[in-house]
Amino acid sequence: MTTTAAPPRTLSPLVSTTVAGQLIGAAGLVVQWISAPEVFEGFGFPPGLFYVLGAAAIVLLNRRSNWSPAAAIALSLWITIGGLAGGNLQDNLADPDTGMVVGNIVMLAGLAISAIAGVLAIRHNFRTRPEKRIAPLGSGNPRRIATTIVFAGLLLDAIGDAAPEGFNWDGPGPILFLVLAILVALIPGNAMIELSMMLSLTFVLTAFLNPQAGQRLTDPSNVLPFTGALMQVVGLSLAVLAGAVAILPRRRPVAG
């Protein structure tokens, strides 16, 4: 996806802080889990825990790229904005359970630290190790077709999610998937594609575990719910499959 400098032997302080912020966010989620395990009975654990640890791993795996902290920034904003838009975050902060409130405050603090450090890390990276920027959907990207399919899949999901009586999933809605598609189209490197794959796969699995979603997918006579559900599953599946192709290592030409 990009031409990068050799990876540093150690993480820079800002990238380390970006990752640490995600881990603090994870600790906050664990506090919530311990305080009110019944809230997460449907999953058995807080799904956000999977997201923040995944974002931290993506930053580490893509540390060669100047853009790697973008995954942590996007995920931090995703959880915060999604929680505010859905009202869950306000409810949790007003919960009579002290542990739930403390857990949410720790989570938000960690995500804020990660997002701010991530922005500063990207700025520092480009100042200290110049990197050729290749537009993800531009002709210079050898995986342009796969990246374009990821982009299209996320758009398809956003449209399906916005359809009347579509999946009633908790969490971020169509606007956030639309923003995610835009970030995939704008930010070079693999970090945003890997983040999209992680979120898309989780949402697809959630859909198939949701009895209401299963009913919508097997009842084409109910046109709008069926169409919206189908668009979401197809779009998210495309994002996962095409994303896997987009991040595959390129073969280097053999000399001679």
Side-chain angles (χ1 to χ4, degrees):
M1 291 286 293
T2 55
T3 302
T4 59
R9 292 184 179 180
T10 58
L11 295 176
S12 71
L14 285 171
V15 174
S16 297
T17 303
T18 303
V19 173
Q22 294 294 306
L23 298 181
I24 293 172
L29 285 163
V30 171
V31 172
Q32 296 175 47
W33 188 12
I34 294 172
S35 300
E38 67 280 0
V39 175
F40 309 104
E41 283 181 357
F43 296 92
F45 69 97
L49 192 58
F50 174 73
Y51 296 156
V52 293
L53 293 178
I58 289 170
V59 174
L60 292 173
L61 290 172
N62 291 278
R63 61 187 179 277
R64 293 186 180 189
S65 171
N66 291 347
W67 290 101
S68 66
I73 299 169
L75 195 279
S76 298
L77 295 176
W78 174 289
I79 292 177
T80 304
I81 295 173
L84 289 171
N88 296 332
L89 190 54
Q90 296 93 316
D91 291 342
N92 289 341
L93 290 173
D95 196 289
D97 187 324
T98 303
M100 178 61 77
V101 175
V102 171
N104 274 271
I105 291 174
V106 171
M107 178 191 73
L108 289 174
L111 296 180
I113 291 170
S114 184
I116 294 170
V119 171
L120 296 176
I122 292 174
R123 183 169 175 265
H124 179 264
N125 286 345
F126 278 102
R127 284 186 170 185
T128 57
R129 46 175 187 163
E131 176 179 279
K132 183 179 178 181
R133 305 187 190 191
I134 300 176
L137 304 185
S139 58
N141 179 11
R143 301 293 170 82
R144 177 178 57 173
I145 294 176
T147 304
T148 301
I149 294 174
V150 174
F151 171 75
L154 295 171
L155 283 183
L156 187 63
D157 169 72
I159 295 170
D161 197 8
E165 299 180 30
F167 282 165
N168 188 23
W169 287 343
D170 293 330
I175 294 299
L176 292 183
F177 267 102
L178 175 61
V179 171
L180 186 59
I182 294 172
L183 293 177
V184 167
L186 294 179
I187 297 180
N190 291 338
M192 293 312 304
I193 293 177
E194 291 173 3
L195 181 65
S196 299
M197 291 173 64
M198 178 182 71
L199 293 171
S200 297
L201 181 60
T202 305
F203 273 68
V204 168
L205 294 176
T206 301
F208 283 108
L209 292 174
N210 184 336
Q212 291 183 342
Q215 292 175 0
R216 293 180 179 126
L217 283 169
T218 56
D219 185 13
S221 63
N222 204 358
V223 178
L224 285 178
F226 172 78
T227 303
L230 185 61
M231 289 174 66
Q232 286 190 278
V233 170
V234 171
L236 295 174
S237 299
L238 284 174
V240 173
L241 296 174
V245 175
I247 66 174
L248 284 175
R250 283 182 292 164
R251 292 183 178 180
R252 296 183 178 180
V254 180

